[in-house]
Structures are given as structure tokens and as C-alpha cells.
Amino acid sequence: GENVEQHPSTLSVQEGDSAVIKCTYSDSASNYFPWYKQELGKRPQLIIDIRSNVGEKKDQRIAVTLNKTAKHFSLHITETQPEDSAVYFCAAKGSSASKIIFGSGTRLSIRP
Amino acid sequence: DTEVTQTPKHLVMGMTNKKSLKCEQHMGHRAMYWYKQKAKKPPELMFVYSYEKLSINESVPSRFSPECPNSSLLNLHLHALQPEDSALYLCASSHPGQGEYEQYFGPGTRLTVT
């Protein structure tokens, strides 16, 4: 069935350094890949997304890359700040137009 | 208005109680979702409504009963829940049209079943 794997499960980086989170998906028909940030006790918040007709997308300090051949996509955060500490979920749109499949999440901690 | 709202924020109920969770959006979205999220886990899809019709039921037990009274409102009726049903219940909405996939989440209802 449809599956999204996410690594690492936890990530600790020094403030100012970069963080990279990687995901793989199983359904070759997937064409939409959102990333959500969830702070403790809050809702998942869409921070960036990419579609399968694009290889890379950037929004200020956040970028997402997509390799359709390998079925990999990654989130890159540069110049990390304390407010970047949160759980990040990748996701992929499944065969249903309305259904997205979430990865297991990465807990990102930024060390001062 | 770019927000999805949910009430109540917190709910404690016994296993014999009947309660309802409510969700509202005024973004003109015609797809609405219920998710269940346990601690340290991703959101788990329960139901999808598209144009006020139930389009996806992820084999959810019948003690959870969704309802979509109109295009802005989504309810989740709860009855005879189990302690393992304690979780954060998230509502989300999106355009169901081709190419518009972004889902926006409400703040959630934290449910405790005693």
C-alpha cells in the first residue's frame, strides 16, 4: 500500500547550522508533497509543499527538493533558529485526490 | 478568514457519555477531514467529506459518527468510547478540486476518555 518513510526520527543541530530531513514514498503516482511543522500542543502547520513537476522550491530559509526517479524528497532548513524547534512531518498525496499519507515525523531541536 | 476553528479545546468524557466535536471553516473549502493524533505520532486519517458527502471512511469504529450539516461545518459524534480513544482530534479542510491539495488544520480537541 501507500507508505511514506521519514528519517531521522530526532535531529539536534547547533543554532545557525543547517538541518535536513529526508523522506521516501512508495506510490509512483504521488504528485504532491507537503511538509508540516507542529509545535508542542499546537496544530500541524503547512510550511512548504512541492509538486511532481518541480525539482526544488525555496521559501526564505526553507527549501524542499524532489527526486521523482528515486522517490525521495527532502526538507532543508538553513541558518536554524530556536523557533525552528518542533516536530516536522513530510507527506505525500496518495491515489485519492483527498488523501495524504504522513511520514512518522522528525523531532528537531535547535541547541543555543 | 483563513482559519479552521474547533470546539471544545478540551473534553473529558466517561465511557458511557455521548458528546460531539465541532469544526468550522469559512475559506470556501468543500473538503473536510477528521484526523486522530496520538502523542508522538503523525495524524491518522479517519473521515473525509467532499461536497458534504462522506467520501472516505478509514474503517473507523462505529462509536465515531461524522456529520457534515453544510459546507462550513463538520461534526464528530462520540458514543461509548474506550480509554484508548483518548487523543488529539484534528479537523482539516481543503479545496477538493483538481490540483488544489493543501490541507489546513484546526487547533484540535484534546479528548480524554475515563
Side-chain angles (χ1 to χ4, degrees):
Chain A
E2 300 152 346
N3 188 47
V4 176
E5 292 192 1
Q6 182 172 348
H7 300 280
S9 57
T10 60
L11 180 60
S12 178
V13 302
Q14 194 76 33
E15 183 178 350
D17 287 351
S18 296
V20 180
I21 302 170
K22 298 183 178 183
C23 291
T24 60
Y25 60 98
S26 60
D27 185 353
S28 56
S30 293
N31 62 355
Y32 173 68
F33 307 90
W35 285 87
Y36 286 86
K37 174 184 179 182
Q38 188 173 25
E39 297 177 61
L40 190 61
K42 298 198 173 177
R43 76 187 79 191
Q45 183 181 7
L46 180 67
I47 56 171
I48 195 167
D49 56 18
I50 192 167
R51 292 163 194 263
S52 59
N53 58 350
V54 174
E56 184 173 358
K57 183 176 177 181
K58 194 171 181 181
D59 182 3
Q60 299 182 350
R61 296 185 297 108
I62 293 174
V64 58
T65 58
L66 172 64
N67 181 329
K68 281 171 47 182
T69 304
K71 293 191 276 187
H72 290 172
F73 59 114
S74 300
L75 179 71
H76 305 252
I77 306 174
T78 59
E79 300 172 18
T80 52
Q81 300 170 4
E83 54 264 35
D84 295 329
S85 294
V87 177
Y88 291 81
F89 293 102
C90 65
K93 188 181 77 66
S95 55
S96 162
S98 298
K99 186 173 176 179
I100 59 173
I101 312 299
F102 284 88
S104 54
T106 296
R107 182 171 299 278
L108 175 63
S109 300
I110 308 301
R111 302 191 303 272
Chain B
D1 190 346
T2 58
E3 216 179 44
V4 178
T5 59
Q6 289 186 243
T7 56
K9 288 185 179 179
H10 301 276
L11 178 62
V12 179
M13 61 185 289
M15 289 189 285
T16 58
N17 291 160
K18 285 185 180 180
K19 296 286 184 183
S20 297
L21 309 185
K22 296 184 184 302
C23 174
E24 190 167 4
Q25 58 87 15
H26 294 288
M27 294 181 279
H29 291 168
R30 300 302 295 276
M32 296 186 76
Y33 311 76
W34 280 115
Y35 287 88
K36 173 183 177 180
Q37 187 177 28
K38 301 284 266 186
K40 300 183 180 182
K41 296 290 186 183
E44 178 185 340
L45 184 66
M46 300 174 72
F47 302 104
V48 181
Y49 274 83
S50 182
Y51 294 96
E52 296 88 69
K53 286 185 167 47
L54 183 66
S55 61
I56 296 176
N57 176 342
E58 292 287 278
S59 303
V60 178
S62 60
R63 57 185 184 270
F64 295 92
S65 176
E67 179 196 19
C68 190
N70 60 53
S71 60
S72 301
L73 293 174
L74 185 67
N75 299 322
L76 186 63
H77 303 297
L78 314 173
H79 173 55
L81 294 193
Q82 304 297 310
E84 59 264 30
D85 296 323
S86 297
L88 180 67
Y89 287 84
L90 293 160
C91 173
S93 70
S94 72
H95 285 291
Q98 188 68 21
E100 301 205 47
Y101 308 131
E102 296 87 344
Q103 291 188 21
Y104 296 94
F105 284 86
T109 294
R110 187 158 301 279
L111 174 67
T112 302
V113 181
T114 60

